[in-house]
Amino acid sequence: IVKDGSIMSLRDLRGHHTSMLRCILTQGRETIENIYGVSACQIRVFVHYQPQFYHFHVHFTRLTNEMGCQVERGHLLKDVVQNLEMDSEYYTKRTISYKLSTGSDLYALIQKAES
């Protein structure tokens, strides 16, 4: 979890955040390797959109763990950095598709609006 509470999700990231994101990526992998012996090449680092809670955080999982990293939800941190390096306001402009649970409040609101 980042200390900057103004970053609530992927949408709040800008080009000036890339050094922080690279630091999270590097230090997170190093820490996991030092403590758990899992090499960096065996770790998936990603963020969710939509997130489960709105305070920017990063997930580190083994490549063998598929939970939460589906293409419509997980965004690899290396890709996020690269996108922001190409366009510092990339996530303010990009359409981001995601899976929506039929039991969610947002789904109910969309259904109601379409009726």
Side-chain angles (χ1 to χ4, degrees):
I1 296 178
V2 299
K3 292 180 182 178
D4 184 347
S6 70
I7 308 171
M8 298 176 69
S9 79
L10 188 60
R11 289 277 185 208
D12 297 316
L13 294 174
R14 303 292 181 271
H16 66 273
H17 293 120
T18 57
S19 60
M20 173 194 66
L21 297 172
R22 275 195 220 94
C23 186
I24 290 170
L25 182 64
T26 303
Q27 289 184 5
R29 285 177 166 171
E30 287 174 1
T31 301
I32 289 168
E33 186 163 4
N34 291 337
I35 293 173
Y36 300 106
V38 180
S39 67
C41 67
Q42 293 300 312
I43 300 170
R44 179 185 295 113
V45 185
F46 62 97
V47 299
H48 284 147
Y49 190 80
Q50 296 277 341
Q52 186 173 356
F53 61 93
Y54 284 89
H55 188 114
F56 187 74
H57 58 285
V58 178
H59 296 268
F60 292 79
T61 63
R62 286 182 183 255
L63 291 177
T64 55
N65 180 354
E66 298 294 327
M67 283 187 58
C69 64
Q70 297 83 2
V71 70
E72 67 274 353
R73 186 160 186 224
H75 299 265
L76 296 175
L77 194 58
K78 285 178 86 172
D79 292 346
V80 171
V81 170
Q82 183 179 22
N83 292 336
L84 290 169
E85 287 173 342
M86 289 187 302
D87 181 346
S88 66
E89 298 207 359
Y90 182 87
Y91 291 101
T92 65
K93 303 171 187 174
R94 172 114 172 42
T95 299
I96 304 174
S97 300
Y98 58 91
K99 184 177 179 180
L100 187 58
S101 170
T102 57
S104 72
D105 293 339
L106 181 54
Y107 182 83
L109 289 170
I110 292 170
Q111 290 298 92
K112 184 177 180 181
E114 290 179 348
S115 299

